[in-house]
Amino acid sequence: MGIVTPGFFGKRREADPHLPPGQYETKDFPVLSAGPTPNIHEGEWEFSITNESGDVKRWSWDEFMDLPIENIDTDIHCVTRWSKFDTKWRGVSLDTLFAEVETDAPFTMAHSYGGYTTNVPLEDLLEGKAWVAFEFDGEPLDPEHGGPARLLVPHLYFWKSAKWVTGLTMHETDELGFWEVNGYHAYGDPWKEQRYYYDS
Ligand SMILES: Nc1nc2c(c(=O)[nH]1)N[C@H]1C(S)=C(S)[C@@H](COP(=O)(O)O)O[C@H]1N2
Ligand SMILES: [Mo]
């Protein structure tokens, strides 16, 4: 750390404790997509988890809707520095999905319609930390925001929350997804400001 002044610390003390370092609050809901919005109908939507042996567990939209649905109220943090507080979602917990999957692999890769990928350790998807969400603010999830369904991993930077998600594959080692290959951090903890690969 360089120059430290009382004013600097004064400001820090007033900072919103919900706001990770280097972030600002927005009331908007910006759209960030690396490519065009794919047009996926619920009837063709499918979610699957493929384990390290290649066994595939699949859910159709209707099967998915029969799973226990949870309400999620959470802050989200984009690496482009906006954070949005108290966002309200409905979705299925990854705990519910992994209850039907046999795996000992510690890493996952999320795959989306359109080809986007992002890597997340399995433990970051379990114990109430992640969902496949299909409603935002009481409405079906807008296609721009990942509808019909997206991954929601709010304790990591929002690029980990793969829009138009269609599945997870299990991996013995931590592979890199789309943004991670392009210089973003492999893990992406907003509280540690893990934005780029060289951030510790
Ligand atoms: N499939 C897919 N998922 C994605 C992205 C993307 O380009 N494609 N962008 C990521 C990034 S960088 C962010 S910040 C959030 C943005 O979600 P939003 O557009 O709903 O705000 O989605 C993430 N998930
Ligand atoms: Mo992002």
Side-chain angles (χ1 to χ4, degrees), residues 32-33 77-82 116 157-160 179 184:
L32 282 109
S33 303
H77 310 290
C78 176
V79 73
T80 62
R81 299 186 181 274
W82 56 266
Y116 184 85
Y157 279 125
F158 208 39
W159 89 76
K160 297 290 184 178
W179 283 120
Y184 283 82

Side-chain angles (χ1 to χ4, degrees):
M1 199 179 279
I3 301 160
V4 175
T5 68
F8 177 78
F9 278 111
K11 269 207 168 139
R12 290 282 287 231
R13 267 199 304 275
E14 286 157 30
D16 189 325
H18 291 218
L19 203 58
Q23 298 290 112
Y24 65 88
E25 184 191 356
T26 181
K27 303 280 188 192
D28 299 334
F29 195 177
V31 171
L32 282 109
S33 303
T37 296
N39 186 16
I40 318 295
H41 296 275
E42 293 171 359
E44 60 186 308
W45 184 86
E46 176 183 274
F47 188 80
S48 68
I49 300 177
T50 305
N51 75 5
E52 61 274 29
S53 313
D55 302 328
V56 186
K57 169 68 193 171
R58 298 173 198 280
W59 294 265
S60 69
W61 183 263
D62 288 345
E63 288 166 338
F64 213 80
M65 292 302 126
D66 283 338
L67 298 171
I69 295 168
E70 298 183 6
N71 295 306
I72 308 115
D73 184 337
T74 187
D75 302 342
I76 55 179
H77 310 290
C78 176
V79 73
T80 62
R81 299 186 181 274
W82 56 266
S83 290
K84 187 171 171 62
F85 296 152
D86 295 322
T87 60
K88 293 180 176 61
W89 309 79
R90 275 161 66 78
V92 172
S93 168
L94 270 289
D95 293 301
T96 300
L97 302 174
F98 272 98
E100 300 187 44
V101 173
E102 221 170 279
T103 181
D104 290 316
F107 298 103
T108 83
M109 184 73 77
H111 300 262
S112 296
Y113 291 98
Y116 184 85
T117 54
T118 188
N119 54 302
V120 185
L122 176 57
E123 64 176 15
D124 287 89
L125 297 182
L126 299 179
E127 296 183 17
K129 292 200 281 291
W131 297 266
V132 173
F134 46 81
E135 270 186 40
F136 177 79
D137 242 353
E139 303 284 343
L141 185 57
D142 196 305
E144 282 184 328
H145 288 297
R150 74 181 298 163
L151 200 60
L152 181 63
V153 194
H155 71 289
L156 300 178
Y157 279 125
F158 208 39
W159 89 76
K160 297 290 184 178
S161 295
K163 304 197 281 190
W164 317 295
V165 71
T166 186
L168 299 172
T169 51
M170 304 307 304
H171 301 271
E172 297 293 350
T173 57
D174 197 12
E175 317 284 328
L176 298 180
F178 176 80
W179 283 120
E180 295 84 359
V181 164
N182 284 289
Y184 283 82
H185 197 275
Y187 183 66
D189 182 345
W191 297 96
K192 295 181 177 162
E193 272 205 276
Q194 294 173 335
R195 298 175 191 276
Y196 308 110
Y197 73 93
Y198 49 76
D199 294 326
S200 49

